[in-house]
Amino acid sequence: MTACAIKISELHKYFGKLEVLKGIDFEVAMGEVVCVVGPSGSGKSTLLRCVNRLEEPTSGTILIEGDDITDPDADVDRLRTRIGMVFQQFNLFPHLTVLGNVTIAQRKVLKRSEKESVEVARQVLDRVGVLDKIDEYPIRLSGGQQQRVAIARSLAMDPDMMLFDEPTSALDPELIGEVLDVMRKLAEDGMTMMVVTHEMSFAQEVADRVVFMDGGVVVEEGPPAEVLSNPKAERTRRFLRMVLEK
Amino acid sequence: MYALAVVVVALAILLGDWERIRFNFFNVEVMADMFPGVLTVAARNTILYTLMSFAIGLVGALALALMKLSTIGPYRAFAIGYIELFRGLPALITLILIGFGIPIAFDLRMPGGRVGAGVLGLSIVAAAYMAETIRAGIEAVPWGQSEAARSLGMSSNRTMFTIVLPQAFRIVIPPLTNEMVLLIKDTSLFFVLGTTPLTKELTKFARDFMVEIRNATPLTVAALVYLAITLPLTWLVRRLERRAAVSR
């Protein structure tokens, strides 16, 4: 059996009476980069947030490298250390410096020594190109730099996979490129990635597979060349027309 | 309108018995007599009682705030009941309850005697007020902060203590300083519990001095000492609030 990083089956999610995920079956293989696209309100962010249980699924199962994270007895905190997550709003800790942001979970969760955590921090900050900001507070950084620190904060935990929730949507247009560059490099290094995004050119270029969601279901999935350039479903075509016209 | 003010001031100057006012309220000899006790005993006790009540109250307030935000129903109910009860009652009632009511009912002595009872009573009241402030501070920390911490594998307790509370406390430092100003003034209620010459705080000290020498100057002195403590604090609050506004 090929290693499956994320395996989602029969996933349903209700917010009150509203069903936002209507039975999702979906897999991400080890080392695969999957971009999830679709109109807002299609449930793509909710799906991503269910993967590390920031959102509680109503029913269905999600296996993280074979371990069921939806099991009520699952050690969710432990499993989450294997899943990095990057948010639209960065969510850096404003009361800590860049170094503090990148070391605090290493120290408190992984119980790494101060020395080791600083070493790892320097390594990952260098990898995302913000090592020179190590002693700054997040508020002094541009949006692009903040998001790269957020990526480094996740990488410092040595995750097996990374989730990206519209990582460039809160950025000024001229800062999007630097974040996408970092993500592209991650993909090249073989990181397993699930990316919710509106950046079609990024999906086209970097994704192994594109998933189009609408109305809480997966409408279409396949290689980017197929889904983005030659979509089968009418809904996908309509969405792409709208996005590309912008 | 200015004319009216001028007339009133003029009348006050003409008709006021200035010698009498000076003698009774601003009597330099009386002032001299009050020193150094007004500072070494009275002001010292006021500050001491305030700090002790504030410290104990703060610990209680933090516990209550966490209980009120807890997912466990009975904790929430307890916190809500406690906060509403002690914010709804006059502080004086709570002090009398702790100083006399409970000792009489259960035939026990409060640890720390009357001062202990006063500090405990005031802490109980302060905890109720500050709990709401701290709860609001915790809720003012964006939810994304918790999500980021949890996604890094931190437990909910760890998230609260290393990520949320440090940010919440920065937010609530100005309002908590305000609570402290209120607390300084509330220590004047200690007199109902009875005092010894060495445990008097400012108000009791001034009142006893006034009755003894039949002159109101001690009140003036006490008022000035209160202001010397509270005005710098309120100034500090304004500064902190302005700084908080800038950083956001």
Side-chain angles (χ1 to χ4, degrees):
Chain A
M1 148 191 166
T2 54
C4 204
I6 306 169
K7 183 174 167 61
I8 301 170
S9 13
E10 267 307 294
L11 185 71
H12 290 261
K13 171 69 184 174
Y14 285 83
F15 286 121
K17 283 211 163 90
L18 182 71
E19 189 176 19
V20 289
L21 296 178
K22 302 172 180 170
I24 306 278
D25 290 283
F26 176 84
E27 285 175 19
V28 179
M30 250 11 150
E32 195 181 17
V33 177
V34 175
C35 284
V36 184
V37 301
S40 49
S42 59
K44 53 194 193 306
S45 278
T46 307
L47 172 65
L48 190 78
R49 291 160 55 81
C50 279
V51 171
N52 67 353
R53 253 180 85 179
L54 280 186
E55 215 67 77
E56 204 65 51
T58 310
S59 69
T61 57
I62 299 169
L63 304 184
I64 302 298
E65 298 170 310
D67 296 324
D68 187 357
I69 196 171
T70 48
D71 183 338
D73 295 330
D75 186 349
V76 178
D77 294 336
R78 198 72 233 158
L79 283 171
R80 279 178 178 148
T81 61
R82 287 157 39 184
I83 314 169
M85 180 145 190
V86 175
F87 300 85
Q88 183 177 347
Q89 299 295 340
F90 330 136
N91 296 343
L92 291 183
F93 306 132
H95 63 302
L96 301 175
T97 62
V98 166
L99 180 66
N101 267 275
V102 182
T103 53
I104 189 161
Q106 294 188 61
R107 304 254 300 281
K108 305 277 183 187
V109 179
L110 301 181
K111 310 291 180 197
R112 286 183 185 154
S113 69
E114 160 128 37
K115 186 163 167 284
E116 188 188 0
S117 68
V118 172
E119 254 164 47
V120 172
R122 297 186 69 89
Q123 228 170 343
V124 290
L125 285 170
D126 192 32
R127 205 167 152 192
V128 302
V130 284
L131 183 55
D132 55 325
K133 304 288 181 193
I134 191 162
D135 292 321
E136 294 281 7
Y137 280 89
I139 196 154
R140 303 275 308 264
L141 271 52
S142 72
Q145 290 167 338
Q146 288 192 43
Q147 191 62 299
R148 286 186 283 150
V149 171
I151 293 172
R153 180 174 67 175
S154 286
L155 287 176
M157 305 296 284
D158 293 326
D160 295 338
M161 65 198 77
M162 296 272 288
L163 309 176
F164 293 85
D165 189 2
E166 305 198 22
T168 57
S169 296
L171 294 175
D172 292 334
E174 75 272 19
L175 301 176
I176 290 175
E178 61 191 63
V179 172
L180 292 182
D181 283 345
V182 167
M183 292 170 62
R184 194 174 293 121
K185 233 170 40 184
L186 271 181
E188 281 163 11
D189 292 347
M191 176 62 78
T192 306
M193 293 163 65
M194 183 169 166
V195 186
V196 170
T197 187
H198 293 293
E199 295 294 327
M200 293 305 153
S201 54
F202 176 80
Q204 180 90 49
E205 180 200 342
V206 179
D208 297 309
R209 191 151 51 94
V210 170
V211 175
F212 174 71
M213 278 182 74
D214 192 15
V217 295
V218 172
V219 176
E220 189 167 352
E221 61 178 303
E226 235 166 73
V227 177
L228 297 177
S229 311
N230 194 13
K232 291 189 208 65
E234 171 57 27
R235 274 197 280 182
T236 318
R237 259 176 265 157
R238 212 182 321 138
F239 170 73
L240 288 173
R241 252 200 319 274
M242 261 164 45
V243 174
L244 295 177
E245 268 168 24
K246 262 203 294 198
Chain B
M1 277 295 125
Y2 278 119
L4 184 64
V6 169
V7 170
V8 169
V9 170
L11 281 176
I13 291 172
L14 288 174
L15 301 179
D17 186 343
W18 287 100
E19 179 46 34
R20 199 173 183 130
I21 290 173
R22 193 205 59 77
F23 181 81
N24 277 295
F25 288 95
F26 300 97
N27 193 316
V28 177
E29 283 144 49
V30 175
M31 287 183 185
D33 272 354
M34 290 176 72
F35 286 89
V38 67
L39 293 182
T40 56
V41 176
R44 175 183 160 277
N45 281 340
T46 291
I47 292 171
L48 205 62
Y49 300 163
T50 304
L51 290 180
M52 288 195 293
S53 305
F54 187 80
I56 300 171
L58 193 61
V59 174
L62 179 58
L64 285 167
L66 293 175
M67 284 169 103
K68 192 163 178 186
L69 294 169
S70 164
T71 50
I72 300 165
Y75 282 175
R76 269 202 315 275
F78 173 82
I80 291 170
Y82 180 103
I83 292 168
E84 296 306 325
L85 177 66
F86 288 107
R87 286 202 310 174
L89 294 179
L92 197 50
I93 291 266
T94 307
L95 281 185
I96 295 170
L97 176 74
I98 301 296
F100 299 117
I102 289 178
I104 290 170
F106 299 103
D107 199 19
L108 53 78
R109 269 180 56 87
M110 281 290 153
R114 288 157 176 175
V115 168
V119 167
L120 181 61
L122 219 49
S123 302
I124 287 172
V125 177
Y129 280 97
M130 294 195 288
E132 282 294 88
T133 307
I134 293 176
R135 180 195 54 79
I138 290 172
E139 288 186 332
V141 176
W143 183 239
Q145 291 290 310
S146 299
E147 290 195 332
R150 297 304 304 272
S151 76
L152 290 166
M154 291 191 201
S155 67
S156 60
N157 282 339
R158 169 99 59 204
T159 298
M160 179 57 77
F161 284 98
T162 60
I163 302 300
V164 177
L165 281 180
Q167 296 183 54
F169 266 102
R170 287 184 188 197
I171 297 170
V172 298
I173 282 174
L176 282 188
T177 313
N178 263 330
E179 304 281 359
M180 191 187 260
V181 171
L182 297 178
L183 213 50
I184 290 168
K185 295 184 286 180
D186 279 350
T187 55
S188 64
L189 299 173
F190 272 42
F191 80 91
V192 293
L193 301 174
T195 49
T196 68
L198 284 179
T199 63
K200 289 178 185 176
E201 43 65 54
L202 269 170
T203 302
K204 175 71 173 163
F205 182 89
R207 180 179 172 276
D208 289 355
F209 216 96
M210 178 186 78
V211 170
E212 194 187 315
I213 58 169
R214 303 194 56 72
N215 182 294
T217 303
L219 290 185
T220 310
V221 174
L224 290 174
V225 177
Y226 273 120
L227 289 175
I229 302 169
T230 55
L231 286 182
L233 272 178
T234 46
W235 174 81
L236 187 70
V237 172
R238 266 203 309 277
R239 250 189 73 123
L240 289 173
E241 276 172 346
R242 216 174 306 139
R243 235 183 49 186
V246 169
S247 78
R248 231 167 279 152

